[in-house]
């Protein structure tokens, strides 16, 4: 279950640290490696000064950025949803092919979770040894220690959050495994018990987290855990807990913090977070005051927002992302190989995954759309930045440049012809975003919908009115940013009167999340959350049955069981941990009981 950091593993851990993307912040590893042969290194010789702590914290990020972890973030979050289908050379990855067919067994390679538990154990190891460093190194203050604790607890909690959303009940431990004799075959802790532990953990350290990193370290602001990242995690976790007031409270804290940064940087030159006077007016008028990254403010060419957010990194709307060096191949750093393999690259524009026909059919028509809004016709930038309308290639994260010439788009009878610049296979420098502002805005809008009441009585209408107004303002800002027109007219924008009930607004929020966050590893988790809240799998079934590569009758029967929305434990894991109870719907155990949906 958990990768141990013991005497034998320290050298390999430090080797990983030396290859980190955060190279400018690291002290040299060569001095340490020259001190003793590998066989003589012991933990107590390492944890002596602040630099030792910093290096292992960087190792936590390095492990989180590994290809196996990123690939699971993508596959766990997208591959079972209606967003994707088989791409090119899918037979080269039988495990992924079977996931797309909903033919998942406990032997599937993507049911392994050791990469996440590796990060968790690294974090637990820092928590075990860092206080001892603070006691002997005057340069490592109690304030530094508290900030470190907040950072690594948040990283650990993020990994557990991925695990419970994927497997539901998982082994949970806050103990560092540094000894071969320690008991590691832990039983799975129930979903909501883990969720409560994560929330309590983050609540206890949120005040100690770094608020903002220095301007001299711009990538740290979005590439390392900050207070805003912790607030974003709490916002989403409270939504899963169905504590909607707390979800809204933390969403507002994130939004206000980014607004404050926007005001502070209005006339500063701070890289990707710069806000010029012209775009400031754009934010106020077009984006309802939310500091989203503006696209074109003049002319008919769009794509600047995409490149700023997904390619350059550290954008003003990004809260937490996994960084990649801007020229990984040339500089000898790892590229975002997970994206190159799954989504495509310059040599093979289509990766193992492609946009599903649900998405491409939506693009090809101007009415009766299921994801995009009919009124926007071909003006929604997400039609082009999610996938290529002409062939279904996933382009988000796979392209380093994107341009849409929107001249004459009002009269277009088909999608315009975008220009894409795909990354080469070994030089994908895209950032993998965990949280950005539109995600938080739409989580808040979802929570507002859940606070609304059903019915047409005047008292209910009066109660719902401010909630509807706020939810619409959030959704509309995200939607308006995506429209490929410099000047908007009534025909381009959503209308509050069209979404004046709880159900209508709720459906709008769900569609906006799907089109805005498509291929970002969010969709399946959204469907799981809806199912857990509803107590049934109707929305999951409706989504999965749209896919061409899944047998509809099989899906309808299979997803009658709530257990089916989660993944099975890997068979090798169950062999070494007899305390794990297999998920019965995947035929991985003797139990025939299962939880039915209501």
């Amino acid at each position: 279950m958990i990768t141990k950091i013991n005497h034998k593993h320290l050298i390999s851990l430090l080797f990983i640290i030396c290859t980190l993307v955060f190279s400018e912040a690291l002290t040299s590893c060569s001095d340490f490696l020259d001190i003793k042969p590998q066989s003589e290194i012991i933990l107590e010789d390492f944890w002596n000064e602040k630099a030792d702590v910093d290096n292992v914290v960087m190792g936590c990020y390095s492990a989180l950025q590994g290809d196996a972890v990123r690939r699971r973030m993508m596959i766990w979050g997208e591959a079972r949803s209606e967003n994707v289908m088989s791409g090119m050379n899918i037979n080269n990855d039988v495990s992924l092919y079977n996931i797309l067919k909903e033919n998942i067994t406990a032997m599937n390679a993507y049911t392994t979770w050791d990469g996440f538990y590796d990060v968790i154990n690294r974090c637990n190891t820092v928590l075990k040894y860092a206080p001892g460093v603070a006691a002997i190194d005057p340069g490592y203050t109690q304030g530094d220690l508290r900030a470190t604790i907040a950072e690594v607890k948040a990283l650990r909690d993020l990994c557990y959050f991925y695990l419970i959303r994927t497997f539901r009940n998982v082994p949970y431990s806050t103990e560092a495994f540094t000894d071969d004799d320690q008991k590691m075959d832990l039983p799975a802790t129930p979903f909501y018990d883990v969720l409560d532990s994560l929330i309590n953990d983050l609540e206890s350290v949120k005040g100690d987290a770094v608020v903002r990193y220095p301007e001299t370290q711009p990538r740290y602001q979005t590439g390392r855990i900050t207070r805003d990242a912790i607030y974003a995690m709490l916002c989403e976790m409270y939504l899963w807990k169905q504590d909607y007031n707390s979800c809204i409270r933390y969403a507002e804290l994130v939004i206000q913090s980014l607004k404050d940064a926007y005001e502070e940087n209005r006339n500063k030159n701070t890289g990707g977070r710069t806000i010029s006077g012209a775009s400031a007016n754009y934010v106020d008028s077009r984006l309802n005051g939310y500091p989203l990254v503006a696209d074109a403010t003049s002319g008919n060419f769009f794509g600047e927002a995409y490149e700023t957010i997904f390619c350059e990194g550290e954008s003003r709307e990004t809260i937490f992302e996994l960084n990649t060096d801007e020229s990984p191949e040339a500089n000898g750093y790892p590229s975002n190989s997970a994206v190159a393999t799954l989504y495509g690259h310059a040599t093979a524009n289509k990766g193992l995954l492609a946009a599903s026909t649900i998405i491409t059919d939506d693009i090809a028509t101007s009415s009766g759309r299921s994801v995009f809004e009919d009124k926007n016709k071909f003006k929604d930038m997400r039609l082009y930045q999610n996938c290529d309308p002409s062939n279904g290639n996933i382009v988000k994260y796979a392209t380093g440049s994107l341009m849409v010439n929107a001249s004459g788009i009002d009269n277009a009878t088909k999608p315009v012809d975008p220009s894409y610049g795909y990354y080469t296979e070994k030089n994908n420098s895209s950032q993998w975003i965990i949280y950005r502002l539109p995600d938080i805005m739409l989580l808040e809008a979802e929570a507002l919908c859940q606070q609304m009441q059903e019915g047409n009585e005047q008292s209910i209408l009066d109660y719902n009115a401010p909630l509807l107004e706020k939810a619409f303002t959030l959704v509309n800002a995200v939607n308006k940013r995506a429209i490929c027109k410099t000047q908007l007219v009534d025909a381009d924008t959503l209308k509050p009167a069209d979404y004046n009930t709880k159900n209508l607004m709720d459906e709008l929020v769900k569609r906006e999340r799907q089109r805005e966050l498509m291929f970002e590893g969010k969709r399946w988790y959204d469907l799981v959350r809806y199912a857990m809240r509803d107590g049934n799998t109707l929305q999951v079934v409706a989504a999965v049955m749209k896919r061409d590569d899944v047998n509809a009758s099989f899906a309808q029967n299979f997803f009658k069981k709530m257990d089916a929305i989660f993944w099975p434990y890997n068979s090798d894991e169950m062999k070494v941990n007899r305390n794990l109870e297999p998920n019965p719907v995947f035929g991985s155990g003797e139990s025939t009981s299962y939880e039915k949906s209501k």
Side-chain angles (χ1 to χ4, degrees):
M1 176 193 71
I2 297 177
T3 300
K4 295 181 284 185
I5 300 177
N6 57 25
H7 304 172
K8 297 178 182 178
H9 294 150
L10 270 177
I11 291 293
S12 59
L13 183 151
L14 291 176
F15 175 79
I16 293 172
I17 292 170
C18 288
T19 64
L20 264 174
V21 172
F22 300 108
S23 57
E24 70 270 18
L26 297 182
T27 57
S28 172
C29 294
S30 59
D31 292 341
F32 175 77
L33 294 176
D34 290 341
I35 292 175
K36 290 182 179 181
Q38 177 175 344
S39 60
E40 297 179 29
I41 296 297
I42 60 174
L43 288 168
E44 289 75 11
D45 284 343
F46 177 66
W47 297 93
N48 292 316
E49 57 184 0
K50 181 179 184 296
D52 298 336
V53 177
D54 291 341
N55 284 345
V56 183
V57 171
M58 292 298 99
C60 296
Y61 285 99
S62 179
L64 189 66
Q65 291 172 324
D67 180 77
V69 173
R70 288 201 203 200
R71 194 173 294 210
R72 278 156 182 76
M73 288 179 175
M74 298 169 71
I75 290 173
W76 290 352
E78 294 288 344
R80 298 180 72 186
S81 79
E82 79 277 38
N83 282 350
V84 299
M85 61 185 293
S86 299
M88 188 170 66
N89 297 323
I90 188 64
N91 290 333
N92 292 343
D93 192 332
V94 176
S95 289
L96 181 56
Y97 176 81
N98 285 330
I99 291 168
L100 295 171
K101 295 290 186 181
E102 281 299 338
N103 181 27
I104 307 171
T105 71
M107 297 181 68
N108 190 290
Y110 294 108
T111 61
T112 58
W113 56 25
D114 49 301
F116 287 88
Y117 275 110
D118 179 27
V119 179
I120 289 167
N121 198 48
R122 290 171 189 244
C123 293
N124 285 340
T125 303
V126 174
L127 294 169
K128 179 175 181 176
Y129 289 101
V133 177
I136 61 176
D137 182 4
Y140 187 51
T141 67
Q142 288 299 310
D144 294 333
L145 174 62
R146 289 193 296 272
T148 297
I149 291 172
E151 184 171 18
V152 295
K153 281 192 172 184
L155 288 173
R156 179 184 69 187
D157 295 343
L158 178 66
C159 289
Y160 273 126
F161 194 37
Y162 270 100
L163 290 169
I164 61 173
R165 288 179 296 170
T166 305
F167 298 97
R168 183 164 55 184
N169 307 329
V170 301
Y172 177 77
S173 175
T174 58
E175 179 183 358
F177 289 85
T178 59
D179 192 302
D180 292 333
D181 296 328
Q182 287 176 269
K183 179 180 174 60
M184 299 175 65
D185 54 339
L186 303 176
T189 301
F191 177 97
Y192 285 109
D193 289 350
V194 177
L195 182 62
D196 285 342
S197 295
L198 303 183
I199 289 172
N200 292 337
D201 214 19
L202 294 174
E203 290 281 12
S204 71
V205 299
K206 63 186 181 184
D208 297 327
V210 172
V211 177
R212 292 200 182 100
Y213 282 94
E215 291 182 3
T216 55
Q217 297 172 318
R219 285 211 162 188
Y220 277 25
Q221 189 58 34
T222 57
R224 292 185 66 172
I225 292 292
T226 60
R227 186 184 63 184
D228 287 344
I230 291 177
Y231 286 169
M233 291 169 63
L234 284 167
C235 168
E236 186 172 18
M237 288 176 184
Y238 275 120
L239 184 61
W240 281 76
K241 189 179 179 180
Q242 301 176 39
D243 182 344
Y244 302 120
N245 285 327
S246 295
C247 170
I248 293 167
R249 175 163 55 90
Y250 278 106
E252 285 296 315
L253 285 172
V254 171
I255 292 168
Q256 188 58 53
S257 177
L258 295 188
K259 283 183 176 180
D260 291 344
Y262 161 84
E263 294 296 338
E264 292 172 14
N265 296 327
R266 222 179 240 272
N267 297 306
K268 290 182 181 179
N269 183 14
T270 52
R273 304 180 81 85
T274 301
I275 300 177
S276 66
S279 65
N281 180 65
Y282 180 100
V283 166
D284 294 338
S285 60
R286 179 157 176 160
L287 305 180
N288 300 345
Y290 295 100
L292 301 168
V293 174
D295 212 308
T297 55
S298 63
N300 293 304
F301 295 94
F302 294 79
E304 179 182 341
Y306 169 83
E307 293 180 16
T308 299
I309 298 164
F310 298 100
C311 308
E312 297 171 10
E314 76 229 40
S315 78
R316 68 172 179 258
E317 74 175 47
T318 301
I319 300 162
F320 182 55
E321 63 190 355
L322 302 184
N323 287 155
T324 307
D325 186 80
E326 60 185 14
S327 298
E329 187 174 27
N331 295 330
Y333 290 113
S335 69
N336 196 337
S337 56
V339 167
T341 300
L342 295 174
Y343 290 175
H345 51 81
T347 305
N349 294 165
K350 191 180 261 93
L352 295 174
L353 297 174
S356 70
T357 53
I358 294 100
I359 307 303
T360 54
D361 288 350
D362 232 23
I363 291 172
T365 185
S366 59
S367 63
R369 291 170 165 169
S370 60
V371 179
F372 295 93
E373 297 300 307
D374 287 345
K375 68 163 55 232
N376 294 145
K377 295 186 177 178
F378 305 113
K379 292 175 283 190
D380 193 323
M381 186 65 187
R382 278 95 47 109
L383 290 168
Y384 312 101
Q385 75 178 37
N386 288 329
C387 64
D388 187 333
S390 66
N391 53 32
N393 293 348
I394 297 174
V395 298
K396 184 179 279 186
Y397 290 118
T399 59
S401 63
L402 164 61
M403 185 179 70
V404 172
N405 185 346
S407 299
I409 202 166
D410 274 326
N411 299 317
T413 57
K414 62 180 181 178
V416 301
D417 187 19
S419 173
Y420 297 118
Y422 284 87
Y423 291 109
T424 60
E425 183 176 5
K426 297 181 179 180
N427 204 45
N428 187 306
S429 60
S430 63
Q431 318 306 312
W432 182 257
I433 298 174
I434 307 295
Y435 287 110
R436 59 187 178 98
L437 182 55
D439 187 6
I440 301 304
M441 293 168 64
L442 297 172
L443 290 175
E444 180 180 3
E446 182 178 328
L448 289 164
C449 289
Q450 295 309 308
Q451 289 189 322
M452 298 176 195
Q453 298 176 2
E454 302 280 2
N456 295 316
E457 294 86 350
Q458 190 60 47
S459 60
I460 292 176
L461 297 177
D462 292 341
Y463 175 84
N464 286 348
L467 300 173
L468 283 165
E469 180 180 8
K470 177 65 173 178
F472 181 81
T473 299
L474 290 161
V475 175
N476 198 32
V478 176
N479 190 269
K480 286 194 294 182
R481 191 264 295 274
I483 298 175
C484 294
K485 290 185 66 177
T486 56
Q487 300 296 325
L488 301 182
V489 296
D490 286 349
D492 302 322
T493 60
L494 305 175
K495 294 292 178 293
D498 294 334
Y499 310 99
N500 58 3
T501 68
K502 175 181 178 178
N503 287 338
L504 289 172
M505 182 59 69
D506 190 43
E507 288 304 311
L508 174 64
V509 172
K510 290 172 182 175
R511 288 199 308 277
E512 191 68 28
R513 279 191 64 81
Q514 185 174 6
R515 55 191 172 231
E516 176 67 23
L517 303 171
M518 192 174 292
F519 310 132
E520 295 183 40
K522 303 282 183 177
R523 179 58 178 168
W524 184 254
Y525 291 134
D526 283 352
L527 291 171
V528 171
R529 184 174 65 254
Y530 305 154
M532 294 184 74
R533 182 168 62 221
D534 295 344
N536 63 66
T537 57
L538 294 178
Q539 295 191 68
V540 174
V541 171
V544 173
M545 284 181 62
K546 294 177 182 177
R547 289 172 42 178
D548 291 340
D549 51 357
V550 173
N551 182 286
S553 60
F554 164 79
Q556 191 167 27
N557 182 63
F558 180 67
F559 283 107
K560 286 180 180 179
K561 310 151 193 173
M562 284 289 286
D563 305 89
I565 64 177
F566 299 99
W567 293 60
Y569 302 135
N570 186 266
S571 56
D572 289 340
E573 199 64 50
M574 289 188 290
K575 289 176 184 177
V576 298
N577 185 353
R578 297 295 183 180
N579 287 311
L580 289 178
E581 295 291 335
N583 187 328
V585 302
F586 293 98
S588 52
E590 296 179 0
S591 175
T592 57
S593 65
Y594 57 79
E595 180 185 351
K596 294 182 179 179
S597 68
K598 296 176 184 176

